Amino acid sequence: MASNALWQRSWGWKVVLYLFLAGLGSGSFAVGAIEAFSSAQSFVANLGIIAGTFLVLLGTLFLLWDLGRPTRSIFALRRLRVSWSSRGTWTLTLFSLFGALNSILRLTAGNGSLPEFQPVLDGLGVLLAIGVAAYTGVMLALMSGRPMWNSSILPALFITSAFSTGIGLLVALVSLPGNQTPFEAMEKWIGADIVSILLELLLIYFYLSVNFARAPESVRMVTRGSLAGPFWLGVLGAGLLIPLGLEYLNLTGGGSPVLGFVSGVGLLTGGLALRYIVVFAGGRAPVLAGNIRFLVRPGV
Amino acid sequence: MARWGMVIDLARCIGCAGCQMACKAENGTPPGITWCRVEVKDIGNFPAVRRIPLPVQCMHCREPECEKVCPTGATEKTESGIVRVDSELCMGCRACVLACPYGARYFYEEKKGYYETLSLFEELAYKRHRVGTVTKCDFCQERVERGLDQGLKPGVDREATPACVFNCMTKGRFFGDLDDPRSTVSLLVASGRAFQLLPGHPSDPQVYYLTPGTTLSAGGREDGK
Ligand code: SF4
Ligand code: SF4
Ligand code: SF4
């Protein structure tokens, strides 16, 4: 299969899961922390922050598992000055520490007894969460030999998707039966998600059309080749168009927690499919020797 | 301090993969890890077709992308321009494998030899390769440095020259100091026949090629089969 020559093989499903969970977790944390600015201890604030921290930590476990020498991961803090991977490791470490502290405070505090510095902790968490969601995109965007990664749209796409999946998770959890929080509490977030879905559609359009000019084979692999299923059904269908429709219904009064739950699950599916596609479509461009293109094989 | 570089003459290369085997023997690389390889591609349209070989390895870039991405500092460019991996620091994240535009890096995943049990050669040779880390061509750094200590000249004296270079049976590979304008490699680079892979790429490879002298437009299948 010709298109498989452009399949990326150095990173596999563990990295896909890390990217998904780190995006989902940071998005959910950000939503929770922003909610906390208006009502410090609401269910959505606590849930977003605690679940967000947990999911990022869970994703980090997959990242560590993926390493050839996990016990050496501490060395990844050494090259903050040049390496985005190292900068990301710092961001991830700080996010995890402050996120864990934040979660513990929230879990142990009685009503109205959060410390005075809590808003500072929440704000710092939002900044670090943006860093966690974005750094992987920046790192991939700098890899010049891989046309599907080497794109400045990628960090924006990752941030938007992180935010959207974060909202999706919280909407789905709030929709669960037996939950005390009224579904209406999520309305403003559903509105925000409609905006981010529209933005994501636009970003995906630009991502594919800009890349089509320089790597048509890789784009075809996404739209018509081996990644077409996850792309059309996962990213576009389950992840963007169906949630868009359901969320519109929810806002215009025709919605219900059941639909909210379905759209939330759809958003998560789409987020996972997006990471899957980006990771595996990232094959190396042929090496040019004079006017002749050689597809170099190892570390594909 | 020298700045080591290599020149590969495509007009002389017959695609025998002798360099590939010489490197295997010199560095004892495990199965699946081929620091020096010969890629082939069929070009032209029938009946005017030709199979052209392209020996590739680490380009020892002056601006190595692998080094910029490495979070641990395991990948580092030495003073003499050799890009190397410290197998004591590498955590096996493979970011460098992905960042290298030339496909020069390999992840050493599991210790296994070419036969059912490790041969004596493999027992000894595999000691320098650490499972779970990334490896690649190191311009035969040890060999070059040992030669220098003995007062030999890399690129001239066999004992100070990379294995792939002195084993090339058509004498199509050259090694030497690119900072010395009178070295063979410098003269070849200045000859007007030299080019780098991925023209215009900022990585600035220190492995140069000499054009085969003939041109045929590229055709055939993209996967080089
Ligand atoms: S060829 Fe690849 S591995 Fe070698 S120095 Fe350049 S970027 Fe690094
Ligand atoms: S695999 Fe090793 S050498 Fe490569 S980037 Fe990671 S730590 Fe650095
Ligand atoms: S310079 Fe040495 S390590 Fe590099 S390809 Fe040649 S023989 Fe192998």
Side-chain angles (χ1 to χ4, degrees):
Chain A
M1 264 204 291
S3 67
N4 276 352
L6 292 163
W7 195 270
Q8 182 285 119
R9 289 183 173 86
S10 286
W11 280 346
W13 62 272
K14 288 175 209 149
V15 172
V16 172
L17 275 183
Y18 164 69
L19 292 176
F20 168 63
L21 290 170
L24 174 63
S26 52
S28 138
F29 185 101
V31 172
I34 295 169
E35 181 83 17
F37 292 139
S38 51
S39 58
Q41 278 177 294
S42 72
F43 179 72
V44 177
N46 280 339
L47 183 67
I49 286 172
I50 296 166
T53 308
F54 171 77
L55 290 168
V56 171
L57 288 173
L58 184 67
T60 308
L61 284 183
F62 284 103
L63 189 63
L64 290 172
W65 183 11
D66 185 59
L67 293 178
R69 295 255 170 173
T71 50
R72 295 181 180 174
S73 50
I74 188 83
F75 295 154
L77 297 170
R78 288 183 74 228
R79 291 191 81 231
L80 175 68
R81 278 177 45 209
V82 276
S83 154
W84 275 97
S85 170
S86 189
R87 290 172 192 163
T89 309
W90 275 99
T91 315
L92 197 56
T93 309
L94 293 177
F95 175 88
S96 304
L97 291 175
F98 286 117
L101 176 66
N102 198 330
S103 303
I104 291 169
L105 288 174
R106 284 175 183 279
L107 285 169
T108 51
N111 222 351
S113 65
L114 280 177
E116 250 169 58
F117 61 83
Q118 191 73 30
V120 181
L121 205 54
D122 294 345
L124 182 68
V126 174
L127 294 180
L128 289 168
I130 296 172
V132 169
Y135 92 89
T136 42
V138 178
M139 187 175 145
L140 298 189
L142 290 172
M143 294 195 178
S144 68
R146 298 176 181 271
M148 290 297 273
W149 290 359
N150 187 212
S151 154
S152 48
I153 298 172
L154 212 51
L157 189 56
F158 276 9
I159 293 182
T160 319
S161 165
F163 187 60
S164 179
T165 49
I167 295 176
L169 175 77
L170 296 179
V171 169
L173 291 178
V174 169
S175 314
L176 287 178
N179 180 32
Q180 305 297 314
T181 311
F183 188 68
E184 288 67 41
M186 292 311 289
E187 259 174 18
K188 66 171 180 293
W189 290 112
I190 290 177
D193 195 36
I194 289 182
V195 176
S196 54
I197 287 180
L198 293 173
L199 181 62
E200 210 176 320
L201 282 169
L202 205 65
L203 287 171
I204 288 177
Y205 173 75
F206 281 122
Y207 176 60
L208 292 181
S209 56
V210 169
N211 276 339
F212 190 71
R214 19 173 231 173
E217 299 97 336
S218 296
V219 174
R220 268 190 224 114
M221 185 159 95
V222 173
T223 54
R224 297 198 251 141
S226 40
L227 292 167
F231 176 67
W232 293 106
L233 299 178
V235 175
L236 278 186
L240 295 170
L241 298 179
I242 292 176
L244 184 65
L246 294 180
E247 286 180 342
Y248 180 77
L249 273 183
N250 268 328
L251 284 196
T252 49
S256 67
V258 178
L259 294 187
F261 183 78
V262 173
S263 68
V265 172
L267 286 166
L268 298 193
T269 314
L272 183 59
L274 178 72
R275 302 316 190 283
Y276 178 85
I277 287 167
V278 169
V279 165
F280 289 114
R284 186 186 286 107
V287 165
L288 266 182
N291 63 342
I292 299 164
R293 288 147 55 93
F294 281 85
L295 266 185
V296 290
R297 286 161 301 172
V300 280
Chain B
M1 190 38 99
R3 174 163 64 90
W4 302 120
M6 200 180 274
V7 176
I8 300 172
D9 188 350
L10 296 181
R12 289 191 176 203
C13 178
I14 55 169
C16 70
C19 47
Q20 185 169 324
M21 295 319 291
C23 178
K24 279 239 152 239
E26 174 75 17
N27 297 299
T29 48
I33 298 180
T34 320
W35 290 355
C36 173
R37 349 182 273 285
V38 180
E39 303 278 359
V40 287
K41 172 134 184 175
D42 298 329
I43 59 169
N45 290 307
F46 182 80
V49 287
R50 189 174 156 196
R51 171 160 291 178
I52 50 163
L54 180 77
V56 288
Q57 62 186 76
C58 173
M59 302 286 140
H60 296 276
C61 307
R62 280 186 108 171
E63 298 292 334
E65 301 217 344
C66 55
E67 186 196 30
K68 284 189 201 105
V69 81
C70 176
T72 63
T75 289
E76 220 173 20
K77 195 165 66 123
T78 64
E79 273 186 6
S80 59
I82 296 180
V83 178
R84 56 183 301 276
V85 186
D86 184 343
S87 64
E88 296 294 320
L89 271 181
C90 174
M91 64 174 188
C93 67
R94 281 117 60 227
C96 54
V97 178
L98 292 158
C100 168
Y102 305 96
R105 293 181 159 250
Y106 297 81
F107 180 53
Y108 182 20
E109 214 169 341
E110 85 182 286
K111 185 165 176 169
K112 62 172 193 289
Y114 280 93
Y115 311 100
E116 255 167 45
T117 54
L118 291 188
S119 67
L120 185 59
F121 171 74
E122 289 172 324
E123 284 285 357
L124 294 171
Y126 292 175
K127 284 209 174 92
R128 61 180 287 205
H129 307 294
R130 314 280 308 250
V131 174
T133 66
V134 162
T135 73
K136 65 166 193 71
C137 155
D138 62 359
F139 259 1
C140 288
Q141 189 184 24
E142 245 178 69
R143 192 180 169 91
V144 169
E145 280 170 5
R146 211 182 323 120
L148 280 174
D149 287 346
Q150 295 167 12
L152 302 173
K153 199 169 160 72
V156 177
D157 297 304
R158 182 186 167 102
E159 292 308 319
T161 302
C164 57
V165 171
F166 74 79
N167 273 298
C168 176
M169 66 158 123
T170 62
K171 292 204 182 343
R173 296 176 77 108
F174 306 87
F175 184 79
D177 181 1
L178 287 170
D179 273 348
D180 172 4
R182 285 163 311 153
S183 69
T184 314
V185 282
S186 295
L187 294 172
L188 288 172
V189 166
S191 70
R193 280 177 66 212
F195 69 92
Q196 296 163 312
L197 296 185
L198 292 177
H201 195 278
S203 52
D204 193 6
Q206 299 301 284
V207 173
Y208 287 81
Y209 292 84
L210 301 181
T211 56
T214 52
T215 47
L216 274 176
S217 62
R221 285 175 47 178
E222 270 316 323
D223 52 7
K225 277 184 190 136

